[in-house]
């Protein structure tokens, strides 16, 4: 895996700052509940991107006695916090605001301003999403977006992409809600738009949180990386067979544990030297592999007694 690039996060932060200012101004001028919900969402997104940047900085801390493998997985913690904020600050607040306005039936004025701001917001959010997609395609040119979403180990890029998708869908819903309110004069559409945006944000946040939770528990390297590592080890002449192979994603790095049957060597020192060569070659071939734990062993034959 490549070093974490915060480009996608900076794209999202710049877009959301501009969007939040425009939305708050439009919400104050028009009284639109959908617009106010969208403004809160964009403000929360700005805070989320700052948290992700801080998490990336923390993840680069060196290894210590307390954290011997480093702090790479701390980015998963911050990504989960961002998902929770997206759920509660963005989603729950938007639903609350929509229910409040549904009961109050507050009128909407100057709807055309809200529609114009929503249109500008769509352009800016598209810019942010395209930046995230470019980062994704650098290392995953052939994967579908859904498959990438399920298999990626880059939690910060996962969160940013989820936010951008939620934002664009939310903007579309808010646009339709404001347009219907302007056409019919019924503020119920605007209030329902706010509720719809909130429900959408909560669904996206839950999907993102589910993926990040799996990373926190401990996921292997991505399927293609694991397959490539195993295939590489099987080509080594020093190894007779692979008994077991475990990979663990640790932030941007990978931990590899290998249990293998080695060919016959004249001494234990010769076997150790061969293992060192295999480990060095593996790390040269896969720079993201920071730690390799290698155990020479022999396959265990399952006897009838052991099966009882």
């Amino acid at each position: 895996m490549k070093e974490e690039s915060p480009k996608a996060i900076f794209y999202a932060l710049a877009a959301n700052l501009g969007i939040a200012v425009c939305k708050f101004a439009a919400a104050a001028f028009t009284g639109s509940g959908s617009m106010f919900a969208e403004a809160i969402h964009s403000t929360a997104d700005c805070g989320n991107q700052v948290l992700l940047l801080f998490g990336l900085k923390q993840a680069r801390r060196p290894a210590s006695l307390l954290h011997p493998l480093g702090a790479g997985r701390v980015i998963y913690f911050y990504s989960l916090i961002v998902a929770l904020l997206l759920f509660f600050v963005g989603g729950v607040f938007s639903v609350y605001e929509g229910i409040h306005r549904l009961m109050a039936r507050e009128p909407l004025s100057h709807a055309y301003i809200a529609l114009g701001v929503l249109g500008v917001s769509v352009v800016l959010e598209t810019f942010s999403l395209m930046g995230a997609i470019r980062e994704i395609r650098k290392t995953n040119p052939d994967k579908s977006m859904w498959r990438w979403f399920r298999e990626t180990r880059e939690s910060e890029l996962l969160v940013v992409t989820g936010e951008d998708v939620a934002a664009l869908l939310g903007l579309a819903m808010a646009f339709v809600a404001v347009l219907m309110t302007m056409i019919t004069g019924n503020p119920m559409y605007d209030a329902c738009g706010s509720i719809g945006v909130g429900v959408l944000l909560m669904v996206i946040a839950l999907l993102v949180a589910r993926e990040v939770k799996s990373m926190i528990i401990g996921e292997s390297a991505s399927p293609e990386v694991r397959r490539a590592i195993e295939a590489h080890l099987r080509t080594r002449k020093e190894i007779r067979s692979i008994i077991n192979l475990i990979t663990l994603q640790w932030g941007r790095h990978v931990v590899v544990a290998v249990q293998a049957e080695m060919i016959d060597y004249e001494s234990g020192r010769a076997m150790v030297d061969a293992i060192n060569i295999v480990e060095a070659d593996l790390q040269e071939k896969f720079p993201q592999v920071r730690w390799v734990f290698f155990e020479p062993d022999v396959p265990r034959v399952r006897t009838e007694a052991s099966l009882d």
Side-chain angles (χ1 to χ4, degrees):
M1 182 183 295
K2 63 181 177 28
E3 294 285 310
E4 299 108 321
S5 172
K7 285 183 180 179
I9 302 177
F10 282 122
Y11 290 147
L13 179 58
N16 282 313
L17 277 173
I19 291 171
V21 172
C22 293
K23 286 178 179 177
F24 272 120
F29 195 72
T30 63
S32 169
S34 294
M35 183 61 67
F36 187 64
E38 279 290 318
I40 293 297
H41 170 208
S42 295
T43 302
D45 282 351
C46 290
N48 291 345
Q49 274 101 53
V50 171
L51 273 177
L52 289 176
L53 289 171
F54 180 75
L56 286 177
K57 182 178 179 181
Q58 292 290 303
R60 294 188 176 97
R61 288 182 302 178
S64 65
L65 290 176
L66 183 61
H67 300 104
L69 298 185
R73 290 177 67 176
V74 74
I75 187 59
Y76 302 155
F77 168 77
Y78 284 99
S79 297
L80 182 61
I81 294 298
V82 167
L84 294 175
L85 288 174
L86 183 64
F87 183 93
F88 288 105
V89 178
V92 174
F93 180 84
S94 296
V95 171
Y96 167 80
E97 181 67 19
I99 293 174
H100 169 73
R101 290 181 180 264
L102 192 62
M103 297 174 64
R105 295 297 182 100
E106 298 179 3
L108 176 66
S109 60
H110 305 291
Y112 61 91
I113 295 178
L115 292 176
V117 170
L118 288 171
V120 172
S121 299
V122 167
V123 173
L124 292 175
E125 284 291 357
T126 301
F127 163 77
S128 175
L129 180 58
M130 291 305 295
I133 291 175
R134 279 196 299 271
E135 292 298 306
I136 294 169
R137 291 308 179 202
K138 286 179 182 179
T139 51
N140 303 274
D142 301 321
K143 283 186 180 181
S144 68
M145 288 301 294
W146 177 248
R147 183 182 168 197
W148 171 84
F149 181 85
R150 295 305 310 273
E151 294 182 356
T152 184
R153 305 305 191 252
E154 296 177 275
S155 63
E156 70 284 355
L157 193 53
L158 173 75
V159 170
V160 169
T161 304
E163 282 185 342
D164 288 343
V165 170
L168 278 175
L169 293 177
L171 287 168
M173 294 177 66
F175 188 93
V176 172
V178 172
L179 183 62
M180 290 300 297
T181 299
M182 184 176 70
I183 293 173
T184 64
N186 188 348
M188 179 191 70
Y189 290 104
D190 182 53
C192 290
S194 179
I195 295 173
V197 169
V199 172
L200 171 68
L201 291 176
M202 287 190 283
V203 170
I204 297 291
L206 286 174
L207 289 173
V208 170
R210 182 186 65 177
E211 296 300 319
V212 176
K213 181 199 74 172
S214 182
M215 297 180 197
I216 290 175
I217 293 172
E219 287 188 337
S220 67
S222 61
E224 61 270 19
V225 171
R226 190 193 184 285
R227 286 194 297 267
I229 290 174
E230 182 172 5
H232 173 77
L233 289 173
R234 291 189 184 280
T235 64
R236 298 297 307 186
K237 66 182 188 313
E238 299 90 345
I239 298 175
R240 179 169 291 142
S241 65
I242 302 294
I243 301 171
N244 194 17
L245 173 65
I246 296 174
T247 63
L248 178 64
Q249 193 70 46
W250 201 274
R252 67 184 184 274
H253 298 303
V254 175
V255 181
V256 176
V258 185
Q259 185 183 30
E261 181 184 11
M262 306 294 289
I263 64 173
D264 295 330
Y265 286 93
E266 66 276 9
S267 67
R269 176 57 187 267
M271 181 181 291
V272 170
D273 291 340
I275 290 173
N276 287 337
I277 292 173
V278 171
E279 290 179 345
D281 185 65
L282 179 65
Q283 290 176 309
E284 182 179 356
K285 178 74 173 179
F286 301 92
Q288 67 269 48
V289 175
R290 175 65 63 88
W291 302 275
V292 182
F293 302 99
F294 203 107
E295 178 189 358
D297 205 343
V298 294
R300 297 192 177 117
V301 180
R302 300 179 69 189
T303 63
E304 292 295 329
S306 65
L307 295 175
D308 292 337

